[in-house]
Amino acid sequence: MSTFLYQIVLIPLVASPITYLAGRKLAHKTGWVAFTFLLYTTALAFLALFSIRDGMALVETYGWAQELGLSIGLRADGLSLPFVLTICILSAAISIYSIPYMKHRVGSSSREYGAYFALYLLYSAGMLGAILSTNLVEFYLFYELMLIPSYLLIAQWGYGERERIALMYFLWTHIGALALLVGIASTYTFTHSFDIYAIPSIIAGEQVSLEFLKWVSLAMFLGFFTKMAVFGLHIWLPHAHAEAPTPISALLSPAMIGIGGYATVRITFTFFPDVFEALSVYLAFWALVTIIYGGMMALAQDDIKRLLAYSSISQMGYILFGISSQNALGMSGSMFHYVSHGLGKGLLFMVAGAIILQTNGLRSIKKMGGLASKMPITTLSAI
């Protein structure tokens, strides 16, 4: 049995304390240690891609709490692999970008590099683990693991009122995660299983009222849509993305928030297709409002990072709109949009960070005229 998926998740977790210790000696060069580990996980993700043939899935299972019917299961298929590859590529690229960025932020001899890159690796591991998980307990643990290091990264190396903003980000996303936990616990009460791939058939064979399933679905929707920052649950995102360290903004916006869309398809849609069909019109309307609101707010921004943040809200609306279509073409388009948005928005946030550093903290768009001739490489990256 291959161990590609096991290593993709485990390597960043193990590398985190190693990188922290290395930071005491290597200072700003610590970033290259983190990059090496992340480059290896990216190579493994491509190997996993090449090992899958004709729509098959790559599955790895390891023993864990077997008396409770739990195991550490990891699964890569046509839905999860594009997300894994996007996260791996972004994490590796942004780790290199973080080196000069943090050097400018804290100096070349600071010991803060070890803590920064250790948390960065944990953040990446949380995203990868959530995507590859095969049971709900495992998924929830990784889903929460994304939150803790990202909160600390914003609180320690963010801008402005970073501690207040980080706390707001933590509370919003944690409340969403608690709602998700309620949905998971409720699902277990009538399925007696946490297996993501077994639960749909169990529910299909049970006589459970549609009304009850709607409430369970709504709890999960609240958890996933808070992470996606759809309209009404978006309050935290413009503040967190604007004040987070730019490398973290480049992971928050392109990679993390779209995981809510993945989980909506992988879990809510496959568990409760009847509920999804009943609510699809409302979800489509919610998505449309999110698209228009995010786009209009982006047009009104003068702060370059807030513009990109509101743009991400709008893009999550497009993903939700495709999911609400309930057909293969719409959902495939949504998942493809995650990849295109992730790579494009990651570059845009890195461009924004380069401009901010080179202009001594300038973030006002109306004061940025004439930068193309002075920063040609950055301009090309933005295009």
Side-chain angles (χ1 to χ4, degrees):
M1 182 178 69
S2 70
T3 61
F4 295 153
L5 306 183
Y6 176 71
Q7 292 183 69
I8 286 172
V9 177
L10 185 63
I11 291 297
L13 287 173
V14 173
S16 179
I18 295 173
T19 304
Y20 176 77
L21 295 174
R24 299 182 178 182
K25 297 288 186 180
L26 299 178
H28 69 278
K29 295 179 181 178
T30 308
W32 292 106
V33 177
F35 168 72
T36 301
F37 286 118
L38 291 170
L39 182 63
Y40 179 66
T41 62
T42 305
L44 290 173
F46 277 103
L47 287 174
L49 174 65
F50 297 143
S51 67
I52 294 177
R53 295 289 185 273
D54 301 324
M56 300 296 289
L58 180 62
V59 181
E60 298 175 13
T61 305
Y62 304 91
W64 172 54
Q66 295 180 352
E67 64 276 6
L68 299 176
L70 294 175
S71 61
I72 298 177
L74 302 169
R75 176 186 172 111
D77 54 24
L79 177 60
S80 60
L81 263 177
F83 284 78
V84 170
L85 286 167
T86 302
I87 293 168
C88 285
I89 291 169
L90 284 172
S91 297
I94 294 169
S95 67
I96 297 177
Y97 175 84
S98 294
I99 298 171
Y101 183 90
M102 288 300 293
K103 188 175 180 180
H104 182 276
R105 191 85 168 84
V106 301
S108 59
S109 61
S110 174
R111 287 194 172 189
E112 294 183 41
Y113 288 96
Y116 172 86
F117 283 106
L119 291 170
Y120 183 92
L121 287 165
L122 285 177
Y123 186 31
S124 300
M127 290 188 285
L128 294 168
I131 295 294
L132 294 171
S133 295
T134 62
N135 71 71
L136 291 172
V137 174
E138 181 188 352
F139 173 84
Y140 184 79
L141 291 175
F142 281 114
Y143 201 71
E144 284 285 72
L145 179 60
M146 292 189 289
L147 172 59
I148 298 170
S150 56
Y151 159 75
L152 293 172
L153 286 162
I154 296 171
Q156 181 63 34
W157 292 286
Y159 296 93
E161 299 181 49
R162 59 180 184 270
E163 294 179 356
R164 183 181 69 83
I165 298 299
L167 180 61
M168 180 177 69
Y169 160 71
F170 181 88
L171 290 175
W172 270 91
T173 52
H174 187 55
I175 289 171
L178 290 176
L180 172 61
L181 184 60
V182 170
I184 291 173
S186 300
T187 302
Y188 182 78
T189 59
F190 61 89
T191 62
H192 305 291
S193 174
F194 290 113
D195 190 327
I196 292 173
Y197 299 92
I199 288 175
S201 60
I202 295 174
I203 294 176
E206 293 285 336
Q207 297 296 322
V208 185
S209 70
L210 184 62
E211 194 65 27
F212 177 72
L213 293 180
K214 282 184 179 180
W215 285 108
V216 177
S217 300
L218 287 173
M220 290 189 172
F221 280 144
L222 181 59
F224 297 145
F225 290 175
T226 301
K227 190 73 75 176
M228 288 180 73
V230 299
F231 177 77
L233 302 173
H234 70 282
I235 307 299
W236 62 271
L237 187 143
H239 300 283
H241 286 203
E243 304 307 331
T246 303
I248 305 309
S249 296
L251 271 183
L252 276 169
S253 181
M256 186 197 76
I257 61 176
I259 292 175
Y262 166 83
T264 300
V265 176
R266 176 65 82 192
I267 297 175
T268 316
F269 176 73
T270 56
F271 285 13
F272 315 111
D274 294 338
V275 174
F276 211 91
E277 183 177 0
L279 299 177
S280 62
V281 174
Y282 302 102
L283 295 177
F285 179 76
W286 198 353
L288 186 61
V289 172
T290 302
I291 291 169
I292 296 171
Y293 171 82
M296 295 296 290
M297 288 298 293
L299 289 173
Q301 301 306 308
D302 183 51
D303 185 308
I304 187 171
K305 290 186 71 179
R306 290 181 72 88
L307 179 149
L308 296 175
Y310 276 108
S311 170
S312 293
I313 293 174
S314 181
Q315 301 308 305
M316 292 304 105
Y318 284 103
I319 290 177
L320 179 58
F321 192 79
I323 294 171
S324 68
S325 70
Q326 302 180 81
N327 62 60
L329 189 60
M331 291 195 175
S332 297
S334 292
M335 300 304 99
F336 176 77
H337 190 60
Y338 171 86
V339 176
S340 61
H341 170 257
L343 298 177
K345 190 58 66 68
L347 279 171
L348 286 172
F349 265 110
M350 287 189 276
V351 166
I355 292 172
I356 292 168
L357 288 184
Q358 294 299 316
T359 58
N360 297 316
L362 179 65
R363 291 166 59 159
S364 174
I365 297 172
K366 65 184 178 183
K367 297 178 182 179
M368 291 182 180
L371 286 178
S373 60
K374 299 176 181 178
M375 304 177 67
I377 297 176
T378 303
T379 301
L380 183 62
S381 298
I383 294 173

